[in-house]
Amino acid sequence: MNNRPIGLLDSGVGGLTVVREVLRQLPNEEIVYIGDTRRAPYGSRTKEQITAFTWDMVNFLLSKNVKMIVMACNTATAAALEEVKQTLDIPVLGVILPGASAALQTTQTKKIGVISTQATLDSKAYVKNIMQRTSDAEVFSLACPKFVPIVESNEMNSEIAKKVVHESVQSLVGKVDTLILGCTHYPLLRPLIQEAMGSEVKLIDSGAETVRDISVLLNYFALNGDKRQENHHEFYTTASVTPFYEIAHNWLDGLEDLKVFHAEIETKPKKVMLVATRNQGKVREFEKLFGSFGYQIKSLKDFPNLPDIDETGTTFEANARLKAEQISALTGELVIGDDSGICVDALGGRPGVYSHRYAGEDPTDAQNNAKLLQELAATENQPEKRTAHFHTTLVAACPQHESLVVEADWQGHIATQAQGENGFGYDPLFVPENSSKSAAELLEEEKNAQSHRGQALQKLMLALPEWLENKA
Ligand code: DGL
């Protein structure tokens, strides 16, 4: 037994046709419903948009602690069901499979019509589902883009609605014995569709068919609700409450104490932090540390038209400033410039600021490492004479604002052999203090917790909020 609610989603009021059946057939279940009315109709949108909007609704339902999610929307099912199902660890189901199965059980002639939104039609989800099971069926698909706006504006009983429905389905009349209402809004137009198609045509309400599947999964996962005194269903819309309430009130007649609320579900675009580097190793470290901080990390790879900034400075700070301030002036973004290097005591701090170009103009990591080993050859068996530290200076720059500078070191020594596959640059040769492993043998998390860049990033994270505030 599980008394958490079932979450249902739709682009608007269409999914209420599923809710009606859930209330009738599964009276012990509590419901949380979200209709993204503000962004409906979904049917004319791209798969990417529909998927992103569906995720907004899914996340909203998860915040309500639902035990199962029903995509009470064919369009969302066609675009996003598989992705959402694979990501969540609660049962997720859509309306297309149940609708297709019911049509196959009903048809005598195997001539099946499917009316749906354009996006559902383009996905070919119904055709594929039907043909997989009965290859000699004939499927006639038709998009009816005018239906959803009629339903959303509560015009189902108007003369216009009658005319539009008759004209829209005309091309299917006489061709099929079974018609799938492949959009959960359409059952609200059912009398008109039946009249237009003729009384002998069987109409399949894909949403209503889904309730059987919901019931099967509740049983299978032992998620059924207890019989309770009363259920507290909640309905949410992303647009105005009143028009939604009116349609829900009519459609869910008998539901006492109908509660409709407004919900904001759109995920705000993340703030962008541009890291002035093309080095993917560095970008990954920034992503690890700043992703959780609410920033989307971009790198110079995302801005292919920006010029290369020459590192002409003679200090780490000068180079980090050059990169951050110039790129920020060109893009107008918050930019983090980083300059890092390894400073070896026996070499008087070299290669230091020249670490990247140590073995030539654009050397490989292996060439740099080989040169370092060669320069230290005289101290081969004396780790105490091979002490070194990694250094990072980070500069945060925004146009017309004094930059923020933080720095950190990571102490250790240079090994006599390269060890490990992780990390980049001089990591395979650098053995941190109190460690027997090289920096390239540490796991990403271990390295980030102690490294020069990890520490500098922590300092930046601490200082950044106040700096950003003063900048505004
Ligand atoms: N109820 C949705 C469906 O089942 C509506 C589509 C739309 O918003 O266009 O497809």
Side-chain angles (χ1 to χ4, degrees), residues 267-278:
T267 17
K268 306 257 175 311
K270 281 189 173 177
K271 294 167 277 182
V272 169
M273 182 184 282
L274 170 54
V275 185
T277 182
R278 289 197 166 79

Side-chain angles (χ1 to χ4, degrees), residues 72-88:
C73 173
N74 290 265
T75 313
T77 301
L81 177 66
E82 286 316 312
E83 184 177 313
V84 175
K85 216 166 154 172
Q86 273 165 30
T87 314
L88 302 192

Side-chain angles (χ1 to χ4, degrees), residues 96-105 110 125-137:
I96 291 182
L97 183 66
S101 308
L104 277 170
Q105 273 166 13
K110 294 197 177 166
Y126 273 104
V127 183
K128 283 185 206 153
N129 259 296
I130 293 170
M131 297 313 263
Q132 259 165 20
R133 278 175 286 170
T134 311
S135 55
D136 60 345

Side-chain angles (χ1 to χ4, degrees), residues 10-11 14 40-43 72-75 117 120 148 182-185:
D10 179 50
S11 64
Y42 278 11
C73 173
N74 290 265
T75 313
T117 66
T120 303
V148 171
C183 168
T184 50
H185 282 73

Side-chain angles (χ1 to χ4, degrees), residues 330-386:
L330 288 168
T331 59
E333 301 280 357
L334 163 63
V335 179
I336 309 295
D338 149 288
D339 203 28
S340 310
I342 192 153
C343 307
V344 181
D345 296 325
L347 303 178
R350 281 190 308 117
V353 72
Y354 302 105
S355 294
H356 181 62
R357 295 155 286 164
Y358 184 37
E361 240 336 281
D362 195 15
T364 61
D365 286 347
Q367 286 168 328
N368 280 334
N369 283 329
K371 178 166 177 185
L372 185 55
L373 284 180
Q374 206 184 344
E375 281 216 73
L376 290 175
T379 58
E380 203 170 16
N381 294 316
Q382 301 160 279
E384 70 285 357
K385 293 205 172 149
R386 296 167 75 96

